[in-house]
Amino acid sequence: MAGLHVRSILVTGSNRGIGLELIKRFIGTPNPPEVIFATCRDPEGSQAQELRTLAAQHPNLMILQLEVTDPSSIKRAAREAEARLSGSGLCLLLNNAGVMPPSTLESATGEDMLSVYNTNVVGPLLVTQAFLPLLKKASQESRQTGLSCSKAAIINMSTILSSIERTPELFSFVPVISYRCSKAALNMLTKCQSVGYKQDGILCAALHPGWVKTELGNFKPGVQADLTVEESVRGLMKVLCKLSEEHHGTLVTWEGNTLPW
Ligand code: NDP
């Protein structure tokens, strides 16, 4: 993909769904990253078979165990990534892992709210903290001016369902209260990161991948999601290519449009 020359990337939750497709796309670019970290909870499990097959074929792909709710797992992954990068920084961190259990205004429990928040918000916060020194290093190493994914970036996978402004029109589509609240908080985290890391030259943005045919996207019995995972990620790759200063601290769709918070 012309314009996107990312030297190193890390994608969380990359054994299936959008994360796995992102890994495949990056491997397939004309200028693939020198190092691709595909992280998942269970690298030895049956759900990671496709990832293992890819890693056996592509020496630039390294699988790391990473459970986003487990600080020790995150720190270990960061140490292993640092060793593999041998002194270089990490250009692009994609906080993609997420969960969306059913939850209505009536059924949501405290446990449900906290568990989803832990995965969808605390996870990206802790993962970013652990990889921040490597992201800063990538930014310092880069000769590029301005903000871009090729230089250094934190991309948080959000959703249109996080948009407070769009909630009245989208509420009846699917309530998922715990998910909506967690992703709205993830947007706030993205905004805070965009302010906090601007002086470090790290682009921070949230993305909406569309309604995608994955396990997570398959929530309406008898109704298919709008996009195949390939269509969504093709769009996301184009967007990653174009992200710049003007998108810093914003929520952008797979088609490149800005969504209101
Ligand atoms: P999938 O359900 O297909 O995949 C989710 C991924 O996240 C899996 O790899 C899963 O790993 C991983 N994951 C879940 N919990 C954890 C955890 N605690 N630690 C590490 N990894 C974890 O979902 P999608 O690919 O559809 O979703 C990816 C992202 O896109 C999510 O953040 C989601 O909110 C967002 N999104 C998706 C939409 C859609 O329509 N699909 C729409 C809008 C946003 P495991 O296999 O171990 O469970």
Side-chain angles (χ1 to χ4, degrees):
M1 176 159 299
L4 193 60
H5 303 299
V6 183
R7 288 186 63 195
S8 51
I9 68 157
L10 185 146
V11 183
T12 63
S14 61
N15 55 309
R16 58 187 172 94
I18 294 167
L20 178 61
E21 186 63 23
L22 280 163
I23 297 293
K24 289 183 189 169
R25 287 272 159 183
F26 272 103
I27 288 174
T29 54
N31 269 308
E34 288 159 31
V35 189
I36 300 174
F37 296 111
T39 83
C40 62
R41 292 198 264 204
D42 184 11
E44 305 305 324
S46 58
Q47 290 265 41
Q49 181 55 56
E50 205 172 339
L51 210 46
R52 290 198 297 274
T53 305
L54 282 172
Q57 295 161 351
H58 300 277
N60 57 339
L61 175 60
M62 182 178 184
I63 304 174
L64 296 174
Q65 194 279 336
L66 199 159
E67 157 67 59
V68 302
T69 63
D70 177 2
S72 62
S73 158
I74 296 170
K75 283 180 195 147
R76 189 177 55 241
R79 281 196 303 273
E80 288 173 9
E82 187 178 11
R84 175 70 172 80
L85 288 165
S86 347
S88 299
L90 175 69
C91 297
L92 177 55
L93 169 62
L94 267 149
N95 284 310
N96 165 75
V99 288
M100 189 182 81
S103 147
T104 66
L105 283 173
E106 289 72 30
S107 70
T109 62
E111 199 177 43
D112 169 39
M113 294 293 286
L114 291 175
S115 157
V116 174
Y117 192 90
N118 203 21
T119 301
N120 293 355
V121 191
V122 181
L125 171 77
L126 297 184
V127 171
T128 304
Q129 286 174 346
F131 286 90
L132 189 63
L134 290 170
L135 289 159
K136 284 184 179 174
K137 196 177 271 188
S139 174
Q140 285 155 11
E141 283 165 354
S142 173
R143 277 186 245 131
Q144 293 182 39
T145 52
L147 300 174
S148 73
C149 289
S150 310
K151 183 179 181 183
I154 300 161
I155 304 298
N156 295 325
M157 204 61 85
S158 186
T159 166
I160 195 170
L161 299 179
S162 68
S163 170
I164 291 171
E165 196 172 316
R166 300 289 294 273
T167 300
E169 73 191 85
L170 293 171
F171 188 69
S172 59
F173 177 64
V174 60
V176 287
I177 303 301
S178 54
Y179 180 72
R180 285 175 182 273
C181 293
S182 72
K183 292 289 187 176
L186 179 66
N187 292 347
M188 175 54 93
L189 175 65
T190 309
K191 193 73 181 182
C192 293
Q193 289 170 333
S194 74
V195 176
Y197 302 145
K198 184 159 191 206
Q199 75 275 16
D200 297 307
I202 302 173
L203 172 76
C204 303
L207 293 184
H208 165 57
W211 183 21
V212 193
K213 295 182 174 83
T214 63
E215 272 184 59
L216 186 147
N218 185 24
F219 54 83
K220 281 220 167 215
V223 185
Q224 291 274 308
D226 291 334
L227 301 171
T228 63
V229 77
E230 293 83 6
E231 287 167 334
S232 165
V233 173
R234 203 176 306 135
L236 291 174
M237 293 296 285
K238 284 187 193 154
V239 171
L240 290 173
C241 234
K242 288 187 189 147
L243 290 181
S244 68
E245 190 101 17
E246 66 173 290
H247 307 101
H248 188 58
T250 68
L251 171 59
V252 185
T253 72
W254 66 285
E255 293 175 298
N257 304 315
T258 304
L259 280 173
W261 298 124

